[in-house]
Amino acid sequence: MIEVRCPADGRLVGRVPSTSPEQVRAAVARLREAQPEWERIGPGGRAAWLRTLRDWLLDNDRHLADVLQSETGKPRAEAAFEVPVMCDIINFYAKNAARFLADEHPRPHGPLGAPKRLTTTHRPYPVVGVITPWNFPLAIPAMDAVPALLAGAAVALKPSEITPLTAVTLARGWTEIGAPPVFTVLTGAGATGAAVVDEADFVQFTGSTGTGRAIATRAAQRLVPYSLELGGKDPAIVLADADLDRAVNGIVWGGLFNSGQACVSIERVYVEAAVHDEFVAKLVARIGRLRQGGDDGSYRYDIGAMATPAQRDLVRRHVTEAIDAGATAVTGGRPGEEGLFFEPTVLVDVDHSMACVREETFGPTLPVIKVADADEAIRLANDSTYGLSASVWTGDPRRGERLARELDVGAVNVNDAYSNLFSFTLPHGGWKNSGLGARFGGAQGLRKYTRRTAITAPRLPTANSEITWYPYGPVRSRLLGRLLRVLTARGARRWR
Ligand code: ADP
């Protein structure tokens, strides 16, 4: 059994079994058995079940927030946020599934395809393995399991061993509404996840870059496809013409939401010299008004605990090393006395040799770097092994959009943080070490869980043979060669 503890005060909040590889194999076999009927009922039938689940989520939102808060130590406002996010995802994909999965009939492009009716169909991978991290125990499973289920796949969800209780509650909801047995939660640590990779037909992973690489290697051995959403070191660029109050408010939220434990958390801030000092002063003042505290079910706190001791220690190391190398913590800089808290921290006088700027911190830190101009900010922002997302803060949104094209990242928010994640018609995927593939992106977010079949059929009555078939012979083959030449050549010289 795995014990689950509340990071805010260390109390035991639940126990879940550690699922063995044999049990994973048996569970996936059961999913495989149930999946064909799930595929057969079509997008409309599946959407009806997901809408019933949405209603169950809303009817149980308080309980879900309690469970989620108890295992993460998040502030109540953030714990309560994940149910509506899941409902929004269900609504979007339930509404559009039939359209996104409909057959397509591409036009033939040339002479050989011209007499054919062409069709592309989308059929699901039978079993999708969804492996998730601890930072958003409901929202991340929702982002991937909902489209996979609506695509017609059965889903084996392997939640993080640190926060498995919300996923177990979700699985209970799926059973309670009487839905077909095509969704199961397999609790356990890395070995259980590895067993899921060994059994699934498609693997969707969210987590650290190291584990993502291990999963990719394992999936490659089996030749099963995978999609990875990994770490980030998201830069924020503040230009001198920005509305500084909005930039400060947005960067404080984008950097400290969930104690900075989000892949898309702002982890580096580049500020044009002209406004640097004013920005830092406002940033420190704004952070000074935040309330940090534990899990009491109220909406009193803005910032909660770190999820694990290892995570708190990593943040402490990044901050201590930076200070030892000449940086200054203008606010924060220390772990809390009890529970797994770490003070929201602003570091100045940092540079690109420091771990707090180069490595993923995943904590409530905001290193701020003074830059001469936008060009220097872009150059430094791109000087990273990560490329998940970025934000640009400017008084001229069109200029922000132009600069977005120079950033080597999967998403850029102008004058906002996180907002691309709530636009399901946009793809969410990282460049470089931040991932491979993407989630969402409108139709692609569903179709990634499907395999395509290309079908050709005659448009007109057919003869008993085709000119391209046997037998070959000088007259027919030359004639065919000429015909193809005329059809494929461009310009009089080559037609001749
Ligand atoms: P973190 O360091 O953020 O906890 P990980 O990337 O290690 O993140 O974990 C994310 C998810 O991947 C968790 O559900 C974890 O149990 C799972 N996991 C860890 N190691 C493996 C592995 N080798 N194969 C499959 N899943 C794994």
Side-chain angles (χ1 to χ4, degrees), residues 19 155-159 164 166-172 183-187:
T19 313
V155 170
L157 169 63
K158 210 302 278 173
T166 307
V168 169
T169 312
L170 179 65
R172 187 166 60 68
F183 174 66
T184 195
V185 168
L186 302 168
T187 53

Side-chain angles (χ1 to χ4, degrees), residues 292-482:
Q292 188 167 34
D295 160 31
D296 64 358
S298 75
Y299 284 83
R300 275 193 298 160
Y301 296 113
D302 302 301
I303 303 193
M306 311 291 304
T308 64
Q311 205 48 51
R312 181 204 48 202
D313 295 345
L314 173 67
V315 177
R316 178 161 43 193
R317 175 170 74 77
H318 281 189
V319 170
T320 313
E321 281 180 16
I323 291 170
D324 289 349
T328 306
V330 282
T331 184
R334 284 167 317 193
E337 274 157 27
E338 284 167 29
L340 297 177
F341 293 94
F342 198 94
E343 295 173 350
T345 301
V346 175
L347 294 165
V348 296
D349 300 323
V350 292
D351 64 48
H352 266 232
S353 69
M354 297 176 181
C356 69
V357 176
R358 303 209 68 80
E359 297 170 20
E360 186 172 42
T361 307
F362 229 62
T365 58
L366 285 167
V368 181
I369 296 177
K370 193 191 290 185
V371 291
D373 52 23
D375 284 347
E376 188 185 8
I378 299 275
R379 185 173 57 74
L380 290 173
N382 285 340
D383 175 19
S384 173
T385 56
Y386 292 108
L388 194 53
S389 45
S391 58
V392 178
W393 304 81
T394 168
D396 176 359
R398 295 289 91 74
R399 183 178 174 215
E401 287 184 25
R402 282 196 301 278
L403 294 174
R405 290 159 203 275
E406 296 178 38
L407 286 161
D408 299 338
V409 293
V412 179
N413 297 305
V414 177
N415 293 343
D416 209 337
Y418 281 58
S419 58
N420 65 293
L421 255 179
F422 303 111
S423 300
F424 310 141
T425 47
L426 286 175
H428 174 236
W431 292 18
K432 303 192 261 185
N433 282 352
S434 289
L436 212 144
R439 61 162 64 94
F440 299 148
Q444 192 49 33
L446 266 200
R447 290 182 188 162
K448 67 185 268 196
Y449 296 115
T450 66
R451 298 159 296 182
R452 288 178 299 173
T453 305
I455 302 172
T456 77
R459 240 208 277 254
L460 302 166
T462 47
N464 65 359
S465 184
E466 293 281 334
I467 188 170
T468 49
W469 296 358
Y470 298 133
Y472 301 149
V475 176
R476 217 159 78 138
S477 298
R478 280 210 189 95
L479 196 68
L480 180 64
R482 290 232 175 95

Side-chain angles (χ1 to χ4, degrees), residues 131-134 158-161 189-190 193-194 205-208 211 215:
I131 301 174
T132 54
W134 41 259
K158 210 302 278 173
S160 167
E161 60 275 30
F205 172 75
T206 308
S208 62
T211 303
I215 286 175

Side-chain angles (χ1 to χ4, degrees), residues 18-97:
S18 175
T19 313
S20 71
E22 293 71 40
Q23 289 167 323
V24 169
R25 197 168 310 132
V28 169
R30 285 194 295 277
L31 290 175
R32 225 175 259 299
E33 218 167 280
Q35 184 272 338
E37 176 61 14
W38 182 245
E39 181 176 350
R40 200 195 56 74
I41 65 173
R46 297 192 291 270
W49 280 116
L50 268 297
R51 290 188 175 113
T52 308
L53 180 70
R54 175 203 56 205
D55 295 345
W56 182 90
L57 290 165
L58 291 169
D59 292 345
N60 292 274
D61 59 348
R62 285 211 186 143
H63 174 62
L64 280 159
D66 286 344
V67 174
L68 202 150
Q69 196 174 17
S70 76
E71 64 180 348
T72 58
K74 284 178 200 243
R76 185 68 177 186
E78 292 177 8
F81 190 59
E82 298 196 29
V83 165
V85 168
M86 180 157 187
C87 294
D88 197 24
I89 295 169
I90 291 176
N91 287 338
F92 174 71
Y93 278 111
K95 178 174 164 213
N96 292 297

Side-chain angles (χ1 to χ4, degrees), residues 100-249:
F100 290 166
L101 296 173
D103 287 358
E104 291 158 287
H105 297 288
R107 278 165 60 95
H109 78 280
L112 296 178
K116 302 293 182 194
R117 175 179 143 92
L118 306 183
T119 305
T120 313
T121 68
H122 302 276
R123 290 196 47 209
Y125 287 101
V127 178
V128 171
V130 174
I131 301 174
T132 54
W134 41 259
N135 50 352
F136 297 97
L138 188 66
I140 293 180
M143 287 175 185
D144 300 322
V146 168
L149 284 167
L150 280 166
V155 170
L157 169 63
K158 210 302 278 173
S160 167
E161 60 275 30
I162 295 160
T163 56
L165 303 177
T166 307
V168 169
T169 312
L170 179 65
R172 187 166 60 68
W174 186 256
T175 311
E176 246 176 65
I177 63 170
V182 290
F183 174 66
T184 195
V185 168
L186 302 168
T187 53
T192 308
V196 169
V197 178
D198 287 344
E199 298 297 328
D201 306 304
F202 183 105
V203 182
Q204 170 64 45
F205 172 75
T206 308
S208 62
T209 299
T211 303
R213 205 169 261 131
I215 286 175
T217 308
R218 208 165 176 123
Q221 293 284 345
R222 295 188 54 228
L223 288 181
V224 298
Y226 54 85
S227 178
L228 310 172
E229 205 259 277
L230 308 174
K233 191 75 192 171
D234 285 7
I237 296 176
V238 182
L239 300 176
D241 66 355
D243 171 347
L244 275 197
D245 290 318
R246 181 174 174 85
V248 164
N249 286 328

